Amino acid sequence: MSIKILGTGSALPVRRVMNEEIVRMVDTSDEWIRERTGIGGRHVSVGETAASLAADACSRALEDAGKTAEEVELLLVATCSPDEVAPCTACRVQDRIGAGNAVAFDLNAACAGFLFALHTAWAYVEAGIYQNALIAGSEVLSKLVDWEDRGTCILFGDGAGAVYVEKCQEGGILGFVQHADGKKGGVLAGGGRQLVSPWAGRQDFRRFLQMDGREVFAFAVRQVPLNVEEALSGAGLTVGDVDLFVLHQANRRIIEGVAKRLGAELSRFPMNLEHVGNTSSAAIPLLLDELNRQGRLKRGMRLVLSGFGAGLTCGACVMQW
Ligand code: UT7
């Protein structure tokens, strides 16, 4: 028994911010950003929220699967940029789309969040608790990014992606791995708030995301191939058996490095970061939705999904579409 993706959806804020606009804000250039990351533009919220984007993506995933919101039993939202601490984004989404019969909660594993949520849904279904799940990755990172820091503001974008999954007897998820290394938490951290209680006085935490880009880069190029191979070997498959590698869209050079280490042609690594940037937990489901709507995903194809991010967290999932 496993779970299979039966529908995908996505949503992006209306406002596009091209590199040329960032060049007017920080000391950088379109050439540098394109060469070092592969990113040409990103979408930035001008009012859209993590909940509104997730709800739109979820509605589209349900429509694609031919299901109604009332049928959903488990609703998970992966996000590290929720609109508010409580209630969770998933409950806001549940209300917006009318998924009144679902249990709903959030999960934060940064850029690996969607994968971890997918694995969580698998575990619930495998345990016989639920038969289906609606899973979104949704981020409005533009509110956590320091728009004066050229090391981070060039990278991130806002958006959401979602999938509807259902219990299946054949195919679906064939194997997965997930890891976390809290000792490396400081490498990519921040987006905190303030302590303002009478006892603490006023203490500021890191307001914006701060990142040691080189460390994250090295971690990703080293760890993603290991995760992919570990997940494939658990499923009794090899790199040669995979049709498409749907990786977290952080940096084109990371994806190229992973492809090289795995000995796989880059043509098997679809990318959309050129127009959406790094959308953290939304990146994998956003790309899946693009591929699905382009008709590039055929039933029976073997896919590997792999993500990594703050935590540090990372994981990989092998599935038969
Ligand atoms: O989603 C998961 C989280 N994040 C990631 O996956 C990010 C992973 N890391 C990266 O994508 C890359 O490390 C970055 C794109 C963030 C940076 O690229 P890099 O090739 O690793 O650059 P670097 O940090 O090694 O910096 C090289 C030079 C430095 O100048 P000096 O010291 O050599 O004079 C930087 O100051 O490039 C400079 N630099 C820039 N120059 C123009 C850094 N950012 C910029 C910029 N424009 N935006």
Side-chain angles (χ1 to χ4, degrees):
M1 193 168 53
S2 187
I3 56 169
K4 196 169 243 177
I5 296 177
L6 297 184
T8 64
S10 61
L12 291 164
V14 288
R15 179 71 158 90
R16 270 192 94 186
V17 175
M18 304 306 290
N19 288 346
E20 289 72 15
E21 217 172 315
I22 308 260
V23 167
R24 294 199 290 272
M25 296 159 57
V26 289
D27 182 17
T28 188
S29 66
D30 179 45
E31 302 76 57
W32 194 96
I33 303 172
R34 282 183 187 274
E35 252 172 49
R36 307 303 290 177
T37 70
I39 296 166
R42 73 286 294 145
H43 291 252
V44 172
S45 165
V46 286
E48 298 91 345
T49 63
S52 74
L53 291 166
D56 288 348
C58 282
S59 295
R60 287 166 194 156
L62 285 174
E63 196 186 332
D64 186 40
K67 301 286 172 182
T68 63
E70 293 80 21
E71 290 175 80
V72 178
E73 295 180 17
L74 173 65
L75 170 50
L76 298 176
V77 175
T79 183
C80 59
S81 53
D83 310 315
E84 53 201 347
V85 172
C88 64
T89 311
C91 281
R92 293 291 194 199
V93 173
Q94 181 202 36
D95 181 40
R96 278 175 180 264
I97 67 173
N101 297 314
V103 67
F105 62 93
D106 288 4
L107 194 151
N108 176 2
C111 304
F114 172 77
L115 264 196
F116 285 20
L118 184 66
H119 301 160
T120 302
W122 175 90
Y124 271 110
V125 172
E126 186 74 15
I129 299 170
Y130 304 117
Q131 312 290 309
N132 69 46
L134 186 57
I135 308 157
S138 184
E139 305 286 4
V140 180
L141 285 169
S142 57
K143 65 181 175 233
L144 302 178
V145 161
D146 180 353
W147 290 97
E148 294 179 356
D149 172 20
R150 67 178 184 173
T152 50
C153 77
I154 56 155
L155 278 182
F156 296 105
D158 300 337
V163 298
Y164 171 84
V165 299
E166 216 169 77
K167 179 171 145 183
C168 67
Q169 297 305 330
E170 269 176 45
I173 292 182
L174 307 174
F176 66 82
V177 295
Q178 47 191 19
H179 300 287
D181 182 3
K183 283 206 180 83
K184 302 261 173 60
V187 170
L188 174 46
R193 298 197 163 70
Q194 291 175 325
L195 265 184
V196 289
S197 76
W199 302 276
R202 195 174 195 94
Q203 295 177 36
D204 285 330
F205 294 113
R206 285 196 272 193
R207 166 77 181 80
F208 298 118
L209 280 176
Q210 289 171 5
M211 177 175 72
D212 182 338
R214 284 183 208 188
E215 271 283 328
V216 182
F217 192 102
F219 165 77
V221 174
R222 188 178 61 245
Q223 206 57 43
V224 172
L226 295 178
N227 287 180
V228 169
E229 272 165 353
E230 194 185 342
L232 280 171
S233 123
L237 298 169
T238 65
V239 168
D241 297 317
V242 179
D243 295 291
L244 290 176
F245 294 88
V246 180
L247 301 193
H248 172 47
Q249 303 286 296
N251 185 317
R252 184 185 170 85
R253 289 186 301 129
I254 291 177
I255 297 171
E256 288 168 351
V258 170
K260 199 169 166 197
R261 284 198 184 205
L262 288 172
E265 317 78 48
L266 198 57
S267 57
R268 287 196 273 157
F269 292 75
M271 292 182 226
N272 67 353
L273 50 72
E274 198 278 330
H275 59 275
V276 296
N278 178 345
T279 57
S280 188
S281 72
I284 291 176
L286 250 170
L287 180 54
L288 275 178
D289 186 49
E290 264 191 46
L291 295 169
N292 191 21
R293 280 164 207 275
Q294 288 163 2
R296 289 176 66 188
L297 302 178
K298 312 268 182 244
R299 287 288 161 208
M301 267 176 119
R302 290 203 192 98
L303 309 188
V304 167
L305 318 183
S306 183
F308 63 90
L312 294 171
T313 54
C314 59
C317 176
V318 185
M319 66 169 64
Q320 190 174 313
W321 187 255

